[in-house]
Structures are given as structure tokens and as C-alpha cells.
Amino acid sequence: MRRRSLLIAVPAGLVTLAACGDGDDSGSSSAGDSATPEASATSAPPPKIVDGPLPAITAGTKFDEKPTVAKGGGEPSKDLAVKAVIAGGGRAVAENDFVSANYLGQIWESAKVFDNSYDRKTPLVIQLAQGGVIDGWRYALIGKKTGSRVQFSVPPTWGYGEQGNEQVGIKGSDTLVFVVDVQDAFNAKSSAKGKEVPQDDAALPKVGTNTDGKAPAIEVPKSDAPKKLAAEYVLEGDGAEVDAQDSVLVQYKGVVWDGGKEFDSTYGRKQLTSFSLQQVVKGWSQGLTGKKVGSRVLIVIPPDLGYGDSPPEGSGIEKDSTLVFSVDILAKM
């Protein structure tokens, strides 16, 4: 099933460039027959938001339970109908935030379910940015708090438009009904929140443990760089372990071992990054595989697992450099 089809932008950052032709920088995963709320080609004016009508949720009424939703009765609203079925107590979601959510989508007229994340047992992680997700999702979820269940109906204007989505049976005239359980939200100020782990190895860099969304300090020792990959917890989270095939949402900072000069950082760009572990330098994929979501990880990458003798042009990285990263694993995608 396609899990990242609604992202249209290439993730920023040097780390998404694979070394020595090991992959490309698209950050996308394999496609399948799914109808996640990918953006349409055009953007409509903001909708009027109304309370209903909305069909009843007849089963699976608790937060994060797969819901069963009745067929729509009568004509759907021409506006965006939105209801917080369960009001969460977390922070409010803002424009351009990434959200982690389980969801179900069906067609108003027939109650045909065209997609849901509950059966995949993997929440969707998506940025609520213009051009990155259908407008109905953006307008319905912005301002809602994490921990909320939000139900909304999306007319074609703020959905898939007149073209619909033929592969899953959505016509250009169909109004869509979504139930979305908003689990978490992330932005440029997000940090890992794991438990602090002692940094006892004097041969490895020390990484700051601040969780205020600011870039952690990285102190590189004056000794020679290790010849092998090192990947150690700085903060250990309690989330799911990252698999080698996963995509992840991260904050990170990278410095060169010799001199400790920073060459890349999401903190400096004020923008989170997401990518597939199959399409990054080997040191990243090997260093993050098996680590838990919610963690901050120190990765020391020797040249043969990094950029070797072919660093990205203009990066400031010399040939055969050992690289040091602090990586906050915010979510699996």
C-alpha cells in the first residue's frame, strides 16, 4: 500500500543524497493501489467550514479504534463539514506541521471505504502544507489538538477535484468522508523526548541532551576518528524500532570530525526532514536501523559508509571525511 504518496516535495538536506550511486534522493517508497489524501494539481479558495451534516459513526467509537461509518443521508454539504468527535488535550496543530494520524476514508453516497491506515497498523505521517495534502485535510485539521478524533466531509473542490481518483473508484463528483485520529504533531521546534543515556565513551563525541527544539551541541574529541561505524543513544525513546525499509521524520545536525565544523542542520533551515533509510548514505541506514522512535542518536560515520572521495559539491565536506551526526527520530513514516 502506498504510504507516502501525498508528499510531493523532495526532502531537503545533504543526508538524503546516497553515496557512490547507492540510490537517489527522492525519499519516496514503493507505490501501490491506495488513496491516501495526496494533493491535487490545483488549489481552491479557502472553504467555509460548517458543522454538518455528517454520517454517524456506528462502531469503533473510541480514539484510535477503526471506525465504521454509516452511509451519508441526503445531499452532502457543498462546504467543508467538520466535527471534533473526540476533543484531545494536546497541542493545537498548525499550518505546515507534520501530523501522525490513523484515518479512514469513504465515499458519502455509497459508504465505500477507499482507504484506511488502521488495517496497515501504521499511522500516516504527513505535512499539512499547501500542495502536500488535499486542501480538505489542511483546513479540517489545522487548529485541532492532538488526541482528537476529527470527522469531516470533503466536496470535490477541496478533495481530488473533477478528475477524482479512478484507480480506487472516486469520481469527480464524489464527496468524501474522513475520520482522523490525530496522534501527534511535529514542527521545527520538536525534539526527541527519550530518557537520557550516559555518554561514557571518551573516544566518541558528546551530544547535548536539551529537548527545547534547539540544536544540541556536539563536542568532538581531539583524538583520531574511529574506523568503524558508531551509533549510540543519547536519549532513548520508547517508540517502535526503526526497520531498514522504513522512512523516518527527523531533526538532525551534522559536523565534520576534523575541526567539528557544522555542514548541515534541519535546525538551521527550521524545517524537519523525512527520507527512506534505503535511500541515504549507508552510515545513516545502518546507524538508525533498530533504534527506537523518540530517541536522539549519535552516529559517527567513517568515509567508506559516508561520502568517501565524492562529497556533495559545495557541502564543505572534504574527501574521506568522518562525519558526526545527532539525529532525533520523531516518527516512522
Side-chain angles (χ1 to χ4, degrees):
M1 302 292 283
R2 181 162 53 187
R3 292 184 1 213
R4 298 189 65 230
S5 59
L6 57 174
L7 291 176
I8 63 170
V10 176
L14 293 172
V15 76
T16 60
L17 302 175
C20 305
D22 288 330
D24 60 44
D25 62 349
S26 68
S28 63
S29 54
S30 59
D33 291 333
S34 178
T36 49
E38 61 187 359
S40 58
T42 59
S43 182
K48 178 181 179 182
I49 297 178
V50 297
D51 294 333
L54 288 166
I57 299 174
T58 59
T61 57
K62 296 181 181 179
F63 182 81
D64 227 25
E65 285 186 337
K66 180 183 176 181
T68 300
V69 183
K71 179 180 176 180
E75 290 295 317
S77 175
K78 300 297 183 183
D79 301 310
L80 188 69
V82 183
K83 180 180 180 181
V85 180
I86 298 173
R91 77 170 182 86
V93 175
E95 179 90 18
N96 295 318
D97 279 1
F98 284 84
V99 295
S100 173
N102 273 317
Y103 72 97
L104 178 141
Q106 68 182 47
I107 297 172
W108 174 282
E109 185 175 18
S110 65
K112 176 189 174 184
V113 175
F114 55 82
D115 194 26
N116 85 91
S117 66
Y118 301 92
D119 290 346
R120 293 194 290 271
K121 302 187 185 303
T122 302
L124 174 72
V125 178
I126 178 61
Q127 188 176 21
L128 298 181
Q130 186 173 9
V133 65
I134 59 172
D135 285 337
W137 268 60
R138 289 176 53 229
Y139 291 115
L141 295 183
I142 289 172
K144 300 300 186 291
K145 294 183 177 180
T146 57
S148 295
R149 166 166 283 191
V150 185
Q151 183 183 19
F152 51 99
S153 67
V154 181
T157 301
W158 298 282
Y160 293 101
E162 295 179 356
Q163 73 273 14
N165 190 324
E166 184 177 353
Q167 69 173 352
V168 292
I170 297 174
K171 301 190 298 291
S173 59
D174 283 334
T175 290
L176 310 177
V177 178
F178 290 96
V179 176
V180 179
D181 289 324
V182 184
Q183 297 181 338
D184 210 343
F186 309 96
N187 60 26
K189 297 181 180 179
S190 296
S191 290
K193 301 293 185 181
K195 181 179 178 181
E196 190 171 336
V197 176
Q199 301 180 64
D200 297 330
D201 192 339
L204 293 178
K206 300 294 185 289
V207 177
T209 57
N210 56 296
T211 59
D212 55 2
K214 296 179 180 180
I218 301 177
E219 297 179 9
V220 181
K222 297 186 183 302
S223 56
D224 291 340
K227 301 300 183 183
K228 294 183 178 181
L229 177 75
E232 303 291 340
Y233 283 120
V234 176
L235 303 172
E236 184 173 359
D238 58 3
E241 290 187 357
V242 175
D243 295 326
Q245 295 78 27
D246 284 334
S247 294
V248 289
L249 178 69
V250 301
Q251 287 266 39
Y252 73 88
K253 174 181 174 180
V255 304
V256 180
W257 182 284
D258 291 334
K261 181 181 178 181
E262 180 180 313
F263 61 85
D264 194 18
S265 170
T266 56
Y267 303 94
R269 292 194 299 273
K270 301 186 186 304
Q271 183 180 14
L272 302 179
T273 271
S274 61
F275 51 80
S276 166
L277 291 188
Q278 294 179 304
Q279 295 172 315
V280 291
V281 294
K282 291 179 180 179
W284 264 71
S285 57
Q286 294 177 19
L288 293 183
T289 297
K291 296 297 189 287
K292 299 174 185 176
V293 172
S295 298
R296 176 171 297 164
V297 182
L298 163 70
I299 310 177
V300 180
I301 303 179
D304 61 320
L305 296 178
Y307 296 110
D309 62 359
S310 302
E313 185 177 353
S315 66
I317 302 172
E318 300 292 336
K319 292 182 179 181
D320 298 320
S321 291
T322 294
L323 308 178
V324 181
F325 288 94
S326 169
V327 184
D328 283 16
I329 309 171
L330 301 177
K332 291 206 307 182
M333 304 181 73

